[in-house]
Amino acid sequence: MVTATATGPQSQALCDVGRGAWPPAPLGGGVASSPHPGGAVPGSGVATALVGGAELGSGVATALALPRTEFARLNGAVRLLTPAAVEGWSDLVHCPSQRLLDRLVRRYAETRDSGSFLLRNLKDAERMQLLLTLAFNPEPLVLQSFPSDEGWPFAKYLGACGRMVAVSYVGEELWSYFHAPWEKRVDLAWQLMEIAEQLTNNDFEFALYLLDVSFDNFAVGPRDGRVIIVDAENVLVADKRLIRQNKPENWDVWYESKFDECDKEACLSFSKEILCARVTVDHNYYAVCQNLLSRHATWRGTSGGLLHDPPSEIAKDGRLEALLDECANPKKRYGRFQAAKELREYLAQLSNNVR
């Protein structure tokens, strides 16, 4: 990987640690990280991860092959990063719009001259790093393009140095709260449904679909109790403006995700092509309800979901169980859309989060 220049005290601390522990990565080594499983720079509050070359095999062999690849062509005199060039490289750009790609380039942090959407304004090393990151693990680009400072529910991106990527440490995994008091679990469940809504419907008209949803992919802030996504590697972004403009077949027909009754943990059933071609999709509600909240959720040998064992009066009332079941495995046409809306409102009432 081409070494990036990271700025700020956190990134400088990261570079110091990186230089002491690992040699510079060869061109074409690993290109991104998952922020949560890594270590931490002592005293910095920075979560780190080493980016290896597993995806690409030998760094040397990759470096020799790069001049003959699409990366090398795009690293030449190409003015713009276009959908035709990168479509399908990763979940992030499975169906990219020009508006999304301009956003990715403009907000790319590993350049001294950020702010321009023109690919040619980046240096050769910066362009190559951007392209490799986009192709092999685009998580850092998700964090940069949809930053926590603007209210997006992702960990804060701090910087990079060589193979290392730094993000803010959020807190313990959601899994740690599986047996928390009922009131706490209700609040976390409400936040998860709010995240599903924000990623699905927002003023920017980008739908961010979570393709990998489990208790380990979210964390909870120890002070503010805020739920944050800490694994953003598998996020598909669909541009609703582009869908409305191009009007693919059935673009305005509401899409209901199919309940997946499998024997494995954290199962999800989805079609990337449909996610990319419909304006109204219930995928995020389905993913959160099935894999985290409802009785169908299984993880590490447990069942019952985050809202297991409700107080007797709530269990007797039956409304919560009915909403969770309809959200996970709807019996009515478009039932999940309505159930998700009512579930958000009901959880807000239960947790006194009415806003």
Side-chain angles (χ1 to χ4, degrees):
M1 175 179 174
V2 178
T3 302
T5 301
T7 59
Q10 298 96 337
S11 297
Q12 185 57 52
L14 174 64
C15 286
D16 291 342
V17 171
R19 278 193 291 267
W22 293 279
L27 184 66
V31 292
S33 74
S34 177
H36 206 57
V41 178
S44 68
V46 181
T48 68
L50 172 66
V51 182
E55 297 93 340
L56 296 178
S58 168
V60 175
T62 303
L64 294 175
L66 277 174
R68 299 187 295 274
T69 66
E70 181 71 2
F71 298 112
R73 187 189 71 79
L74 289 174
N75 201 32
V78 176
R79 178 174 178 270
L80 283 174
L81 192 62
T82 62
V86 301
E87 182 177 358
W89 277 17
S90 60
D91 289 335
L92 176 60
V93 289
H94 188 79
C95 50
S97 65
Q98 190 61 58
R99 187 167 69 102
L100 173 63
L101 296 181
D102 289 348
R103 185 183 183 94
L104 296 179
V105 176
R106 183 184 296 113
R107 291 171 175 247
Y108 183 54
E110 307 310 326
T111 173
R112 295 183 182 276
D113 188 27
S114 59
S116 172
F117 63 86
L118 295 176
L119 194 64
R120 69 181 183 187
N121 286 351
L122 275 62
K123 296 179 180 178
D124 287 351
E126 295 166 348
R127 282 197 300 272
M128 184 62 77
Q129 183 176 352
L130 169 62
L131 296 172
L132 289 170
T133 302
L134 185 62
F136 293 104
N137 189 333
E139 182 172 24
L141 301 178
V142 174
L143 305 184
Q144 294 169 37
S145 301
F146 302 95
S148 60
D149 291 346
E150 297 178 7
W152 295 96
F154 298 108
K156 181 179 176 60
Y157 181 85
L158 299 176
C161 183
R163 299 183 183 196
M164 300 288 291
V165 170
V167 299
S168 60
Y169 175 73
V170 175
E172 293 186 355
E173 296 173 344
L174 179 64
W175 170 248
S176 301
Y177 293 82
F178 189 82
H179 295 293
W182 172 252
E183 293 78 10
K184 181 64 176 179
R185 288 186 282 128
V186 167
D187 175 69
L188 297 177
W190 171 76
Q191 290 190 60
L192 288 166
M193 290 302 296
E194 288 294 306
I195 288 174
E197 173 65 19
Q198 178 188 7
L199 297 184
T200 303
N201 299 303
N202 52 72
D203 293 339
F204 300 95
E205 295 191 274
F206 285 119
L208 283 69
Y209 297 118
L210 304 176
L211 305 186
D212 182 11
V213 174
S214 73
F215 282 90
D216 289 349
N217 291 347
F218 298 81
V220 181
R223 295 181 180 178
D224 58 9
R226 185 185 176 200
V227 177
I228 294 294
I229 299 169
V230 293
D231 187 343
E233 178 180 351
N234 301 111
V235 175
L236 185 151
V237 179
D239 189 336
K240 293 186 177 183
R241 291 185 191 175
L242 183 65
I243 296 173
R244 291 191 180 96
Q245 175 183 322
N246 291 344
K247 294 181 172 55
E249 184 179 2
N250 295 325
W251 68 274
D252 56 349
V253 176
W254 289 17
Y255 177 69
E256 297 179 284
S257 301
K258 306 302 180 185
F259 175 73
D260 190 358
E261 195 168 6
C262 73
D263 57 358
K264 297 181 180 180
E265 296 181 332
C267 290
L268 287 177
S269 174
F270 54 84
S271 164
K272 294 181 183 180
E273 283 63 38
I274 293 181
L275 296 180
C276 289
R278 302 286 182 94
V279 169
T280 307
V281 177
D282 65 2
H283 173 84
N284 286 331
Y285 312 134
Y286 151 68
V288 169
C289 286
Q290 174 171 302
N291 284 5
L292 300 178
L293 303 185
S294 74
R295 61 186 176 88
H296 303 287
T298 58
W299 192 247
R300 298 187 185 182
T302 66
S303 60
L306 186 64
L307 294 175
H308 63 87
D309 300 317
S312 58
E313 64 273 15
I314 293 177
K316 184 177 180 180
D317 174 71
R319 184 184 178 193
L320 178 60
E321 183 179 2
L323 288 175
L324 288 172
D325 280 348
E326 188 68 9
C327 183
N329 186 15
K331 304 301 186 294
K332 304 175 184 177
R333 187 181 186 189
Y334 303 139
R336 184 180 286 120
F337 292 97
Q338 184 62 31
K341 179 178 182 296
E342 293 183 19
L343 182 59
R344 287 167 52 220
E345 295 171 351
Y346 186 51
L347 291 173
Q349 295 172 8
L350 291 178
S351 60
N352 296 317
N353 277 322
V354 180
R355 297 183 180 180

